[in-house]
Amino acid sequence: GDVNLLILPELAFTGYVFESRDAIAPFVEPDGPTGPTASWARRVAVRLGCHVQVGYPRRSTAAATAATGGWRNSVCVAAPGGDDEGVLVATYDKHFLYEVDERWAEEGDAFKAVELPLGREGTSVKVGFGICMDVNPYRFTAPFNKFEFAWFHRHAGTRLVSGSMAWVLSKDGDDADTDESEEDRSEEAAAAPVTKTWQYWMLRMMPLWKEAMRENVGEDDDDEVHSEDEGAEEPEEKETRVVFAACNRTGGENGTKFCGSSAVFEMRRRTGGGGGVQLLGG
């Protein structure tokens, strides 16, 4: 078919908002391809003839200790194959944890990008995985303009950023213009979370679409976005294309509302300056 990669949200089948380790304990799945979520992903990969990415709580045998159990907030990726049983081709553990994750999960070891046959006629594409908080500054304490996630994937040569999200609805809502009709205000209020979320995600991806960026921002730097000196000699122009695809939850859970906003963006970066972002679908 026309589907190369099916992306599902973070902790897609269990829900996201758990108050404690005891609350999520019944849902933590074993490592490997035989757990409930990995098995589901393999079956769907075979049925649809595509790769499938889905979020789930996982017990990492490699990281497990008596004290922590190696519990991770993870995504698995399955592909067709394996005598029509499907195969597990990648696992990624959330590297930057949100406060809800810290109640039960350990940090993943590092960001990750792997080669997968997602291009035309099965050509290889470097795919970088992200889970929600990964795109933010570390624990919201790192400098905003450090862009840890985006810089990792720029250096890794990632061409597809694939995000499983449980992105919450912001509590900072703007009041509607009092001169607008009630219907207009409702439409604006409904669209605002989507628009603001898209803008924020693309801001956090800036090193992937803006060539002139400065890395390794120190904690004493301000929060402005830094560029290299404009007077530097420009190299021969070359364009780099990166796709950002994110699937986010909608609705609510235990008093937490999610903002939806699932989308696919194309980011183009040109040496010598230039570049930009285009919404492909959302």
Side-chain angles (χ1 to χ4, degrees):
D2 295 331
V3 178
N4 286 24
L5 174 64
L6 174 67
I7 308 171
L8 278 77
E10 177 180 10
L11 300 185
F13 300 137
T14 61
Y16 177 70
V17 185
F18 291 93
E19 296 298 327
S20 66
R21 286 175 61 86
D22 288 342
I24 198 173
F27 306 105
V28 178
E29 300 184 22
D31 242 341
T34 60
T37 299
S39 297
W40 179 91
R42 289 189 294 109
R43 291 194 303 270
V44 174
V46 170
R47 180 165 63 86
L48 298 182
C50 70
H51 285 65
V52 176
Q53 173 179 319
V54 55
Y56 69 124
R58 182 177 72 96
R59 181 182 299 106
S60 170
T61 54
T65 67
T68 65
W71 292 6
R72 303 289 178 93
N73 183 338
S74 307
V75 294
C76 65
V77 181
D83 296 327
D84 290 333
E85 293 184 355
V87 291
L88 189 66
V89 296
T91 304
Y92 167 71
D93 300 323
K94 190 174 187 178
H95 188 36
F96 287 2
L97 300 184
Y98 189 52
E99 57 188 25
V100 177
D101 307 308
E102 291 175 344
R103 299 169 185 169
W104 64 271
E106 302 173 8
E107 289 183 359
D109 298 331
F111 297 128
K112 185 175 186 177
V114 301
E115 297 280 352
L116 294 176
L118 297 179
R120 293 181 179 177
E121 299 181 355
T123 55
S124 181
V125 175
K126 180 67 73 71
V127 181
F129 307 111
I131 305 177
C132 207
M133 179 67 187
D134 281 331
V135 308
N136 282 310
Y138 180 64
R139 304 190 80 174
F140 293 119
T141 59
F144 185 87
N145 52 349
K146 195 172 182 181
F147 298 113
E148 304 99 318
F149 179 83
W151 274 116
F152 173 88
H153 289 293
R154 176 161 164 173
H155 290 311
T158 296
R159 293 296 178 263
L160 169 61
V161 177
S162 180
S164 293
M165 307 295 207
W167 200 273
V168 301
L169 184 65
S170 173
K171 297 178 182 179
D172 301 325
D174 293 331
D175 291 333
D177 191 321
T178 54
D179 291 335
E180 294 178 331
S181 69
E182 187 66 32
E183 181 178 355
D184 289 340
R185 288 201 299 271
S186 291
E187 291 178 354
E188 179 179 336
V194 174
T195 304
K196 290 180 179 179
T197 300
W198 288 349
Q199 290 172 342
Y200 183 80
W201 285 347
M202 288 302 96
L203 175 61
R204 296 301 303 162
M205 295 301 109
M206 190 176 288
L208 292 173
W209 58 265
K210 187 170 183 178
E211 179 65 26
M213 295 285 292
R214 186 168 66 126
E215 197 179 2
N216 298 324
V217 175
E219 294 187 5
D220 293 334
D221 290 281
D222 56 35
D223 284 338
E224 296 178 0
V225 175
H226 294 271
S227 298
E228 299 289 359
D229 292 339
E230 295 182 0
E233 183 178 348
E234 294 184 356
E236 182 180 353
E237 183 167 328
K238 177 182 178 182
E239 185 173 79
T240 301
R241 177 178 180 268
V242 182
V243 171
F244 175 93
C247 178
N248 189 37
R249 285 189 58 181
T250 60
E253 177 192 346
N254 293 340
T256 297
K257 293 183 179 180
F258 303 94
C259 66
S261 311
S262 299
V264 179
F265 288 89
E266 178 186 63
M267 302 177 286
R268 293 185 179 270
R269 187 176 77 250
R270 299 182 183 91
T271 54
V277 175
Q278 179 182 1
L279 175 67
L280 299 181

